Amino acid sequence: MMFRNAVELSHFYAAQAAGTGSVCIDATAGNGNDTAFLAGLVGPEGKVYAFDVQQKAIASTKKRLEDRGLRERVRLIHDSHARMGLYVREPVDAILFNLGRLPGSDRTVYTKSCATIAAIEAGLGLLRRDGLLCIAAYWGDPICNEEYREVYDYLKGIPPRQAEVLFHEYINEPHCPPTFFAVHKV
């Protein structure tokens, strides 16, 4: 089976770690695609926490969830993913990050490596054993490339006894497709 992009890989891996009744986090709600995917995955008994710093993203995600009848499964949080530990107090099965910027919004607002790395650290603390953290990272422009490199370096330094880290990239694509990281807590 071939995967077309890092988001498909995130969904594939998240479905291995979470299911009906699970608790999941969408660290970057954006337009709500990952949030809706996770809400469908966890079912009516599960819960999803979705974070975004942009009110436009929270509103877009809320509408997508309402249109699909999934709103009651999700707690929308208008705050940085770096602060997820203040909102989530229960073990988490899967966490999704889709870094970069919100499509169709202010092109000057990006995720930043310092907040993202703080969020990854918080997420690793929240993940249950065998939980999974998935990251789609972009590198095609200078701002995204800086975050990608710093996240890569951080993940590379995680001790193997704490987590296994998988890195996936397309090496012959001409249009800077996003890379994918899967972090499995051991």
Side-chain angles (χ1 to χ4, degrees):
M1 169 186 265
M2 289 301 300
F3 300 98
R4 296 192 176 154
N5 58 50
V7 173
E8 285 184 21
L9 285 166
S10 290
H11 291 187
F12 174 79
Y13 278 92
Q16 309 311 303
T20 302
S22 290
V23 175
C24 295
I25 297 173
D26 183 354
T28 51
N31 285 317
N33 293 313
D34 288 341
T35 306
F37 167 78
L38 290 172
L41 185 64
V42 303
E45 300 83 27
K47 186 173 198 172
V48 177
Y49 295 87
F51 292 84
D52 211 291
V53 295
Q54 295 185 71
Q55 186 57 49
K56 178 180 179 180
I58 295 296
S60 177
T61 299
K62 181 179 179 183
K63 179 169 181 0
R64 183 175 306 276
L65 295 169
E66 288 171 348
D67 290 349
R68 296 182 182 183
L70 301 169
R71 177 65 183 97
E72 72 284 350
R73 302 175 191 183
V74 178
R75 179 171 176 204
L76 294 169
I77 302 164
H78 183 215
D79 201 352
S80 171
H81 53 216
R83 296 168 44 90
M84 71 174 65
L86 298 176
Y87 299 92
V88 183
R89 298 286 184 198
E90 56 200 309
V92 175
D93 297 287
I95 304 172
L96 300 184
F97 288 79
N98 194 339
L99 304 180
R101 65 175 176 257
L102 176 64
S105 71
D106 184 347
R107 295 184 58 82
T108 65
V109 179
Y110 290 81
T111 53
K112 306 282 190 295
S113 59
C114 58
T116 298
I117 290 169
I120 292 167
E121 288 176 349
L124 284 170
L126 292 167
L127 278 179
R128 66 170 173 77
R129 185 174 173 204
D130 286 329
L132 195 63
L133 192 148
C134 300
I135 304 167
Y138 301 82
W139 53 275
D141 72 46
I143 293 171
C144 290
N145 189 282
E146 180 181 340
E147 181 181 36
Y148 156 75
R149 284 183 290 107
E150 290 178 13
V151 167
Y152 179 96
D153 289 343
Y154 172 78
L155 294 174
K156 190 174 177 181
I158 293 175
R161 66 188 174 281
Q162 180 183 358
E164 300 168 326
V165 181
L166 169 82
F167 174 64
H168 176 97
E169 71 176 332
Y170 290 96
I171 60 173
N172 65 341
E173 279 289 324
H175 301 293
C176 302
T179 58
F180 171 75
F181 300 93
V183 183
H184 171 243
K185 186 171 181 177
V186 294

